[in-house]
Amino acid sequence: MSERGSQMRHACRVVSLCCSVLLAGAAQQALAQIAPRLTGEAAIARLDTAKQDLASRASTTHDDRLAAVSAQLGEMADALRKTLGDKASQPADIMDDGRRAAVLRGDAAVQRTRAYLDQAPSCPGNDAKALTDALATTIDNLAKTSSSSKATPVINSVETIDHRPVFALHPGNTPIALALVGTNLSDPQCADPQLTATDEKGKPLDTQPVITGVLPTRVELKFPDGAGSKSGAVMLHVVPKHKVFLRGCTSQPEAVTALQVTAPMRVSISYDLTTTCSNGQRVPSSGTLPDITAYGTTSSRQVEAACPDPSRYAISAKVTFGDGSSASVGLVEQTAAADITMGLPAGFTLSWSPSTRTVFVRSAANVCKGVY
């Protein structure tokens, strides 16, 4: 064989090996994009992790309600271990009706808790309380539900039409469009599911949602008149139908999830302003701005002059939310010729303008990702 022929054969082997490696890598990447089937063991492990993560947040926020929800997640994991027994390693799809339903509800509790942990840190005051109330009610309902059937419906999440998880609604009469995401929420061979909104005691609300679209894994709905003005729980009940051979479409056990209508927004901002006069005298003054009751608004107050020739100003502020929680910011000091601007919690901004002798606070748009 000529030297040139040997070199060509070697080059072909290298190219072939490289192609094999690339194809193998591509195949592994494609396989990695396929989510593993949900098993009982996976649901139990996720419940245990969610319990620990929620307990950690409860410890940070000193919220006993979150600690109670964390404990309930642990109880769900223990109950699932007992229910599944030696079937825990099986995919949920091949389990009997009762076990499969229990696994699906456990996984739904995990998904809702994960969404809460992602959304809650951005939420102040009444919004934060509403998120926690909605989570607690939802997990309690999932933990206490025991009904099952071949097509057991389970709601994993409530979200906006563009897939942002939602736990609470601001009061008002602006139309609200949402989606329920889950399993067995409708059957294409049957009529749309029955959808009802009630309070926590089961009384139908004056404002009822209407269904705008259905899939087995998604029900889109609209509150045409908004969430109304009354704060409290909104329980969404879905009763789908499932077609059974020789029996037609039969009603299934209901799936329930919770939202919360927040209390009306009310934020109070107080300030302490200290003027340093040119003779070195320091003159303190303080005041409270008119309450802010809507996002995207401004509140202001003028301050009387402390002396005719100020040289410096220093200001601090305290923000008090509707649920009684508060946070303080400052002290910030500047020369008398300079404006002072400082960020406050929840997207608020406080400014002091020496030229107009005005303290004003601007409210940003809604910063809580979990509230519609």
Side-chain angles (χ1 to χ4, degrees), residues 229-268:
S229 59
K230 185 178 179 181
S231 61
V234 175
M235 307 299 296
L236 295 174
H237 305 254
V238 178
V239 180
K241 293 181 180 294
H242 177 65
K243 190 167 186 179
V244 180
F245 182 63
L246 297 180
R247 293 175 55 192
C249 292
T250 59
S251 294
Q252 300 301 298
E254 71 173 11
V256 184
T257 193
L259 292 172
Q260 196 80 12
V261 178
T262 68
M265 179 182 180
R266 185 166 298 279
V267 180
S268 176

Side-chain angles (χ1 to χ4, degrees), residues 269-275 282-289 303 313-319 328-333 340 342 350 352 359:
I269 298 97
S270 59
Y271 66 89
D272 290 303
L273 179 69
T274 299
T275 305
R282 296 173 65 85
V283 183
S285 63
S286 61
T288 300
L289 280 68
V303 181
Y313 289 103
I315 193 169
S316 63
K318 180 180 180 180
V319 183
S328 298
V329 178
L331 201 68
V332 177
E333 187 171 3
I340 297 176
M342 58 185 182
L350 179 141
W352 160 245
V359 177

Side-chain angles (χ1 to χ4, degrees), residues 318-355:
K318 180 180 180 180
V319 183
T320 303
F321 299 100
D323 67 343
S325 62
S326 61
S328 298
V329 178
L331 201 68
V332 177
E333 187 171 3
Q334 286 281 16
T335 66
D339 289 357
I340 297 176
T341 299
M342 58 185 182
L344 303 177
F348 291 85
T349 303
L350 179 141
S351 297
W352 160 245
S353 171
S355 61

Side-chain angles (χ1 to χ4, degrees), residues 79-90:
L80 202 51
R81 288 187 185 93
K82 183 177 180 180
T83 298
L84 298 181
D86 60 359
K87 307 294 185 182
S89 62
Q90 290 184 352

